[in-house]
Amino acid sequence: MSGSLLVDNVGELVTNVAGTGDGSPLGLRRDAAVLIEEGRVAWVGPARYAPAAGRRIDAEGGAVLPGFVDSHAHLVFAGDRATEFAARMAGQPYTGGGIRTTVGATRAASDGTLRATVRRLVGEAMRQGTTTIEIKSGYGLTVADEARSLRIAAEVTGETTFLGAHVVPAEYAGRPDDYVGLVCGPMLAAAAPYARWVDVFCERGAFDADHTRAILTVGQAAGLGVRLHANQLGPGPGVRLGVELGAASVDHCTHLSDADVEALAGSQTVATLLPGAEFSTRSPYPDARRLLDAGVTVALATDCNPGSSYTSSMPFCVALAVREMRMTPAEAVWAATAGGARALRRDDVGVLRPGARADLMILDAPSHLHLAYRPGVPLIRQVLHNGVPQCRS
Amino acid sequence: MSGSLLVDNVGELVTNVAGTGDGSPLGLRRDAAVLIEEGRVAWVGPARYAPAAGRRIDAEGGAVLPGFVDSHAHLVFAGDRATEFAARMAGQPYTGGGIRTTVGATRAASDGTLRATVRRLVGEAMRQGTTTIEIKSGYGLTVADEARSLRIAAEVTGETTFLGAHVVPAEYAGRPDDYVGLVCGPMLAAAAPYARWVDVFCERGAFDADHTRAILTVGQAAGLGVRLHANQLGPGPGVRLGVELGAASVDHCTHLSDADVEALAGSQTVATLLPGAEFSTRSPYPDARRLLDAGVTVALATDCNPGSSYTSSMPFCVALAVREMRMTPAEAVWAATAGGARALRRDDVGVLRPGARADLMILDAPSHLHLAYRPGVPLIRQVLHNGVPQCRS
């Protein structure tokens, strides 16, 4: 008991456990409290029945939610592309070509520089409620640089993704087969020890269906789970290929055919939507309602990266999802927590029930609705990660 | 010298003083420092020539900007309208009718409750860089409730605005002339001692041109400056009326005719755009480019209120202005600082030059571009108000 911690005076508790009869996917509870022991949720129930605890956190009537699960982020990079962003806002289209700018800066950077950026961004995300974050490589694109990117990412998260197939680097221009051979051979071998997942940017101008299939298949054979970037800039084979290969998630999903939606609806593959990318590239948003109405599981993530979506803010993505993609606030909050957990095939995060990791946030607001109702406002008052209170933001 | 404070190690200094030859309206300086004495800017220049100072703040390479000037906010209210927001996002149109919900809650609230909300929101805005904020009445709509709203607002800002003509309250339904008589007579008399400005919601369903003119004219005669809500929900006479009466600002400007734009361009009246309202009511955004290209002075403000725009975040408004209204990052930052100052007819804020109030913010980013490039991310590392460092956010 002495090590236990009780969170009470909760305005609204989002559990993401169905069955509270609130009609939303959030499993809302009123007058609830959460007991934490040894970094895990030990008990959830009515405050008046709360067990005794060694310490107490008073939520002061604020809503308490599972921490955000950001299942798509590119944090291992150097440099920024603020001027490219400004030029794009003045009318230049986004083609993904700027990725090579970041590749050059990343290769030239020291381990210490890359590590500092990763840690700064993970800390920034944590202050905004993100307690689980996936981090991809993909700005190294050499055997050594992909391996070190993942090694640095693995210092801060277990959700590391090998994205050697982000773009074909300049030195392989016109020789994509050769580059795919490198990715499938020595690069995968060097990266796999640090990676949980393998990912490919399957898109015109990046990797086609044959290359994507080849890379994901050898990644799977090496023990990695599959996820991919699909159907972002135009229609394509990515989503159906992901479903066929049993991907945990296909990400972006901006340009979908009826067959794509049908394939997703009949699968265990999550559609991860990344509205920060559409915001920062001034592109049309994915049709979340179509996916939800078809029964597809939807996740929200930031796509945090220095080119197309340099936000680390899951609350911002929730607000965009409601404004621009016609998700309800409850659907958006679920997608940013439990949905992200599904996209990472995790059942210990994104949910507040006994046994789950004690990752949660306390809002400076009485309800989850405020994450959409109060866009841009830093509403995360406190974050607990593995049961440990982080610095108040 | 002992009371002086030097801000140095500045990545980029936004002065809003023209003539640095950077081609933007921001008067950017590199390698600059700012000396503060007795709450005012005492000196701005190259860091290597900085005078000695008693204390020092290291900006750590972050950009330094004038604090935001939020020239349009409705902070004196009680209750929230999160469920109305959620219903609107599910498809119900915004008509402004929900204002009456807040009027009921505000009238029923104690002074202490109203004061606590105002102070909470002003603090929240300050942590996001807002060092000057205008606060309107308009949820009291009785002589006593309008006067107390302004009295409470005046405790925290000099920029107080009498908005008795926000809507016709329910008890005057069908008798708008009678209500306008009340506003122009006893309500104005009770409010004027606490107000700097008079404002009217000139819109179909609120107040027509005759009523608006009557109220603004008597307000002017009582010594108040003129500003108004105009052309938000549809075309109307508001903008031209504002220009005719010498308004400091006409706010919203979503539906403008060529004649409206021409009138603004030939005037000293600022067009204040409030993209948070369009975001949270899912409405089309004003055409900022058309105004800027015509030579109109544009300001950005939050419209912070519990119905149509419950954001206190000027960085969010800057990001929206760039994404949705095709302002450049420099134009948006200028509009949120110097533009807001123009909209309040102030020359001591929104600018960093000797004699100006030492209101400034230090970003966790090297450039003003990041306010648009990194949407939703809390980038304000530190705020100085009257030269006094506020709590780090």
Side-chain angles (χ1 to χ4, degrees), chain A residues 252-256 271-279 283-293 298-302 314-329 331-333 335-336 372, chain B residues 85 89-91 279 282 323-324:
Chain A
H252 283 293
C253 294
T254 311
H255 297 272
L256 299 185
T272 299
L273 308 184
L274 308 165
E278 279 79 28
F279 186 89
S283 304
Y285 290 90
D287 188 346
R289 277 258 61 82
R290 181 186 180 198
L291 290 164
L292 289 164
D293 292 347
V298 171
L300 286 171
T302 62
M314 291 292 281
F316 177 66
C317 294
V318 166
L320 282 184
V322 171
R323 166 52 157 90
E324 304 293 355
M325 307 200 302
R326 296 187 181 262
M327 295 174 76
T328 66
E331 287 168 341
V333 167
Chain B
F85 167 80
M89 290 299 107
F279 187 89
R282 204 184 277 132
R323 167 51 156 90
E324 305 293 356

Side-chain angles (χ1 to χ4, degrees), chain B residues 161-245:
Chain B
T161 298
F162 169 48
L163 181 60
H166 197 188
V167 288
V168 175
E171 64 272 23
Y172 282 87
R175 296 188 294 133
D177 289 349
D178 291 352
Y179 185 64
V180 171
L182 179 74
V183 170
C184 291
M187 197 184 279
L188 174 65
Y194 307 107
R196 181 173 180 218
W197 303 96
V198 59
D199 191 350
V200 174
F201 187 19
C202 180
E203 195 80 36
R204 193 182 300 267
F207 296 89
D208 67 17
D210 290 343
H211 287 149
T212 301
R213 179 189 296 276
I215 295 162
L216 295 178
T217 305
V218 297
Q220 266 179 321
L224 306 184
V226 168
R227 51 203 318 105
L228 72 162
H229 289 63
N231 303 58
Q232 176 186 5
L233 304 177
V239 164
R240 272 163 292 159
L241 185 57
V243 170
E244 180 198 326
L245 296 176

Side-chain angles (χ1 to χ4, degrees), chain A residues 75-76 113-123 135 152-153 156:
Chain A
L75 305 189
V76 192
T113 298
L114 296 178
R115 183 174 287 121
T117 297
V118 169
R119 293 184 179 221
R120 176 174 60 81
L121 291 170
V122 168
I135 302 179
I152 289 167
V156 296

Side-chain angles (χ1 to χ4, degrees), chain A residues 81 279 306 311 323 373 375, chain B residues 81 124 279 306 311 323 373 375:
Chain A
R81 281 150 60 192
F279 186 89
T311 187
R323 166 52 157 90
Y373 175 45
Chain B
R81 281 151 59 191
E124 183 184 279
F279 187 89
T311 186
R323 167 51 156 90
Y373 176 43

Side-chain angles (χ1 to χ4, degrees), chain A residues 80-82 85-86 89 120-121 124 128 278-280 282-283 285 306 310-313 316 319-320 322-324 326 369-370 372-378 393, chain B residues 80-82 85-86 89 120-121 124 128 278-280 282-283 285 306 310-313 316 319-320 322-324 326 369-370 372-378 393:
Chain A
D80 80 37
R81 281 150 60 192
F85 167 80
M89 290 297 108
R120 176 174 60 81
L121 291 170
E124 183 184 279
Q128 296 170 86
E278 279 79 28
F279 186 89
S280 290
R282 203 184 278 131
S283 304
Y285 290 90
Y310 200 4
T311 187
S312 56
S313 174
F316 177 66
L320 282 184
V322 171
R323 166 52 157 90
E324 304 293 355
R326 296 187 181 262
L369 293 172
H370 287 239
Y373 175 45
R374 307 214 58 211
V377 179
S393 64
Chain B
D80 80 37
R81 281 151 59 191
F85 167 80
M89 290 299 107
R120 175 174 61 82
L121 292 170
E124 183 184 279
Q128 296 171 86
E278 279 79 27
F279 187 89
S280 289
R282 204 184 277 132
S283 304
Y285 291 90
Y310 200 4
T311 186
S312 57
S313 175
F316 177 67
L320 282 183
V322 172
R323 167 51 156 90
E324 305 293 356
R326 296 187 181 261
L369 293 172
H370 287 239
Y373 176 43
R374 306 214 60 211
V377 179
S393 64

Side-chain angles (χ1 to χ4, degrees), chain A residues 294-390:
Chain A
V296 176
T297 301
V298 171
L300 286 171
T302 62
D303 195 16
C304 186
N305 79 80
S308 57
S309 180
Y310 200 4
T311 187
S312 56
S313 174
M314 291 292 281
F316 177 66
C317 294
V318 166
L320 282 184
V322 171
R323 166 52 157 90
E324 304 293 355
M325 307 200 302
R326 296 187 181 262
M327 295 174 76
T328 66
E331 287 168 341
V333 167
W334 189 94
T337 52
R342 297 268 181 102
L344 294 171
R345 298 258 161 105
R346 293 277 294 268
D347 58 10
D348 60 331
V349 297
V351 66
L352 293 177
R353 67 172 162 227
R357 249 174 42 182
D359 286 356
L360 54 86
M361 53 184 159
I362 303 172
L363 301 193
D364 223 347
S367 157
H368 70 281
L369 293 172
H370 287 239
L371 291 168
Y373 175 45
R374 307 214 58 211
V377 179
L379 286 182
I380 316 298
R381 186 196 296 156
Q382 191 162 23
V383 177
L384 275 71
H385 183 45
N386 289 318
V388 179
Q390 308 296 301

Side-chain angles (χ1 to χ4, degrees), chain B residues 197 225-227 242 246-250 268-272 342-345:
Chain B
W197 303 96
V226 168
R227 51 203 318 105
S249 178
V250 288
Q268 297 298 308
T269 299
V270 173
T272 299
R342 297 269 181 102
L344 294 171
R345 299 257 162 105

